Amino acid sequence: MGLVSGLLLLPLAPVRGTVWIADHLLAEARRQYDDPRAVQARLAALNRALEAGDIDEAAFEREEEHLLTLLERRTGPRTTRDRRTRTQGRHV
């Protein structure tokens, strides 16, 4: 960047800095959201909510599928048999 373009773009520096910070915050939020430990904790909480009767079976299945998809995206694909084995015994 030359001197002239640097001077012309100087008023935009706060905007560029804000965008940079927002991009980094978004990246960190995505990293934490997709963290396998966090997803596993949410799966455990989901199981507890089902056992306590706080959610119905349909809501449980939808959220579980979403969480398992997040987990697979981070840890690699699993077979249907692996998924069934992991989720068996999750509720009575």
Side-chain angles (χ1 to χ4, degrees), residues 20-39:
W20 181 85
I21 290 171
D23 285 342
H24 280 76
L25 288 174
L26 179 61
E28 179 63 19
R30 284 185 178 151
R31 187 190 66 73
Q32 289 181 12
Y33 181 75
D34 290 346
D35 181 31
R37 290 175 297 200
V39 174

Side-chain angles (χ1 to χ4, degrees), residues 33-70:
Y33 181 75
D34 290 346
D35 181 31
R37 290 175 297 200
V39 174
Q40 289 169 349
R42 292 187 349 232
L43 277 169
L46 186 64
N47 280 316
R48 287 191 301 273
L50 179 67
E51 290 170 1
D54 296 337
I55 60 172
D56 63 359
E57 185 74 25
F60 174 84
E61 292 293 331
R62 281 191 309 272
E63 185 63 18
E64 180 192 42
E65 186 63 32
H66 171 71
L67 292 172
L68 290 175
T69 301
L70 285 176

